[in-house]
Amino acid sequence: MKEEILMLKIHNGLKDGKDYYEATRGNWKINKDRFTQIKYVVGINRGKVVCAYEPNNWLIVEEGTDAGRKRFYGKAVSSELLKTFQDNEEILLKKFGTGQAVAYSYMNAIAVATV
């Protein structure tokens, strides 16, 4: 199974006063069938990788204006792995279409430093 990277543009959440974790974790329009494939979630702010998390639990918002959107609980990745994402920022950013807030890539698409 491929290790999928979910990338999210988080500048609106940060503008609303959320920290990196809260801005990155939800609420997003993503396919719940991808939950098992997503290994990492990367937060992008104004074209820069600023944070990354390893999700361990997903939930679907049940009510309100965000009903049906998804969010996760997880932990921050190591500083080495965050640096790997930052070093491969250009490759990751190319996955976004015009105006998209969500994009996907795979770990085998980036150069991973051996630690």
Side-chain angles (χ1 to χ4, degrees):
M1 181 169 76
K2 292 183 179 181
E3 293 184 322
E4 195 166 66
I5 305 166
L6 168 63
M7 298 168 295
L8 305 166
K9 292 183 180 176
I10 62 170
H11 58 272
N12 286 337
L14 295 174
K15 186 173 65 176
D16 292 342
K18 296 179 180 175
D19 62 22
Y20 285 153
Y21 179 65
E22 286 300 319
T24 305
R25 64 183 288 247
N27 300 335
W28 301 99
K29 289 183 179 181
I30 60 172
N31 185 333
K32 68 179 179 176
D33 295 335
R34 292 185 104 141
F35 290 172
T36 58
Q37 299 167 13
I38 297 170
K39 178 74 173 168
Y40 302 106
V41 181
V42 174
I44 311 279
N45 183 34
R46 307 276 179 216
K48 298 289 181 192
V49 171
V50 294
C51 58
Y53 302 93
E54 192 168 353
N56 55 34
N57 189 23
W58 290 90
L59 64 93
I60 300 171
V61 177
E62 300 283 333
E63 299 176 357
T65 57
D66 286 338
R69 289 179 180 242
K70 287 73 172 185
R71 60 189 297 117
F72 71 91
Y73 293 98
K75 62 178 182 160
V77 300
S78 68
S79 57
E80 293 86 6
L81 185 52
L82 177 59
K83 183 169 180 353
T84 297
F85 290 132
Q86 291 169 330
D87 290 346
N88 288 276
E89 202 168 70
E90 188 175 326
I91 294 167
L92 296 175
L93 292 174
K94 287 181 181 177
K95 301 293 183 178
F96 285 95
T98 304
Q100 286 184 317
V102 176
Y104 299 90
S105 188
Y106 295 95
M107 287 301 291
N108 64 356
I110 64 173
V112 179
T114 54
V115 179

